Amino acid sequence: MQQTVVEHIDRITEDVAALTLRAAAGEELAPWDPGAHIDLSLPNWLARQYSLCGDPADRDAYRVAVRYDPLSRGGSEYVHRFLRRGRPLGVSLPRNHFPLVPAPRYLFLAGGIGITPLLPMLRAAAASGLPATLVYVGPSLDSMPFAAELRRSYGDRVRIVETERQGRPDLHALAATLEPDTLVYCCGPATMLAAADAAFPADRLHAERFQPVARAFGPDTEFEAFCARSGETVAVPADESLLDALAHAGRPLPAGCREGICGSCEVTVLDGTPEHRDDIGAPEGRMFPCVSRAVSPRLVLDL
């Protein structure tokens, strides 16, 4: 955990606030690459993950943007209603499940607040002199965070699509214009991601999701988790997640989304076969216990 102080809260649209978090005590913050996110430990005991949208070269501050959600579980509501300048905030080390893979050229496709992880990607591609364009989709210009900043910085590399006036972009037509070595990075609402999945080849599309994809899995069954470091065996009932079973046994783990899309609860599996149900692709030998379960009757965890 790193200690920061809220230096600025900038209202960039009616429902989006950009936070600048300055390193406490003059220390440098941990490095990060485009696509990374951090967890904010909020004073109301919630942890929420947000994409870093500032400059990776700036080791003194992080920048994130938070859209207010009327159905908030308490995270965005706290940021918008109660967070103030000068407030200390603990933040996690950056994690990156959406890295910018080297490519000759890029298309970035953003919907609404999905612009945040793509901002440093576009900056990095442009700084490297690579062909890169952004298609940024939202209801109207005044609802789209960073739109004016993007136009100033990148000119005709950026195409703004206001759906209230122009309708949704034809992604199949867009795909037909791309060079075959173009990588496509997409972040936005589920409807945009579904359209991107249908339009672009899977091996060229990289997507970050706000919500897990609905998929069918086998029935939930009970299993055991053996904690190798403590020597404790935890029974995981069929109607309880591994994450919750560990917490009830006194082995709580950090947890943000609880939906398999943020990666904050990652654990190492030493033996046994997990059933991966996450949406970010657990690395070899790891799993996300908020959603994933076990195929084998027993898992051995590095806990």
Side-chain angles (χ1 to χ4, degrees):
M1 185 67 68
Q2 307 174 94
Q3 296 305 313
T4 69
V5 174
V6 179
E7 183 176 61
H8 295 295
I9 303 177
D10 301 313
R11 187 75 56 176
I12 52 178
T13 70
E14 183 178 350
D15 62 350
V16 176
L19 310 182
T20 301
L21 308 174
R22 181 69 55 180
E27 299 177 357
E28 282 193 339
L29 294 169
W32 60 280
D33 295 314
H37 68 267
I38 55 172
D39 295 342
L40 302 188
S41 294
L42 298 171
N44 61 350
W45 304 101
L46 293 176
R48 293 292 183 264
Q49 60 278 351
Y50 298 104
S51 295
L52 289 163
C53 57
D55 183 355
D58 183 0
R59 296 287 299 279
D60 296 324
Y62 290 151
R63 190 187 194 196
V64 299
V66 181
R67 183 184 291 280
Y68 176 69
D69 181 356
L71 302 178
S72 170
R73 294 176 295 172
S76 69
E77 180 182 33
Y78 184 90
V79 169
H80 278 256
R81 296 185 60 187
F82 304 112
L83 192 63
R84 298 291 183 267
R85 289 183 58 189
R87 179 81 198 205
L89 279 187
V91 304
S92 71
L93 295 175
R95 297 188 302 276
N96 199 343
H97 302 292
F98 190 43
L100 185 64
V101 177
R105 64 195 79 242
Y106 298 97
L107 168 66
F108 300 110
L109 181 61
I113 198 64
I115 189 62
T116 51
L118 303 184
L119 287 172
M121 292 187 181
L122 179 59
R123 181 185 297 112
S128 299
L130 296 172
T133 56
L134 167 69
V135 177
Y136 185 12
V137 183
S140 60
L141 193 61
D142 60 3
S143 71
M144 300 167 71
F146 308 109
E149 176 183 320
L150 286 162
R151 279 181 162 170
R152 285 195 305 269
S153 299
Y154 302 106
D156 59 7
R157 288 186 182 216
V158 176
R159 176 187 167 196
I160 304 291
V161 180
E162 299 177 78
T163 57
E164 290 179 353
R165 295 192 309 108
Q166 301 164 271
R168 299 182 185 276
D170 184 340
L171 298 189
H172 286 279
L174 182 59
T177 68
L178 298 183
E179 297 289 338
D181 56 1
T182 304
L183 286 190
V184 181
Y185 277 77
C186 180
C187 185
T191 51
M192 169 177 280
L193 292 169
D197 285 336
F200 301 104
D203 61 345
R204 291 162 56 190
L205 176 64
H206 298 258
E208 184 168 66
R209 303 178 187 277
F210 299 148
Q211 297 175 327
V213 176
R215 290 192 296 267
F217 295 98
D220 293 345
T221 58
E222 62 182 31
F223 62 97
E224 289 185 344
F226 177 70
C227 301
R229 280 186 270 163
S230 68
E232 182 179 5
T233 297
V234 176
V236 185
D239 61 351
E240 187 173 49
S241 71
L242 173 55
L243 181 71
D244 287 341
L246 289 168
H248 292 155
R251 306 291 302 177
L253 296 171
C257 69
R258 293 179 170 265
E259 295 181 316
I261 57 176
C262 80
S264 61
C265 63
E266 180 180 303
V267 294
T268 297
V269 181
L270 302 176
D271 194 27
T273 306
E275 180 185 45
H276 297 293
R277 300 183 176 185
D278 62 274
D279 275 274
I280 54 180
E284 182 70 25
R286 308 290 181 89
M287 70 180 294
F288 301 115
C290 63
V291 293
S292 295
R293 300 187 66 81
V295 175
S296 56
R298 186 172 187 260
L299 295 177
V300 180
L301 307 178
D302 186 19
L303 293 173

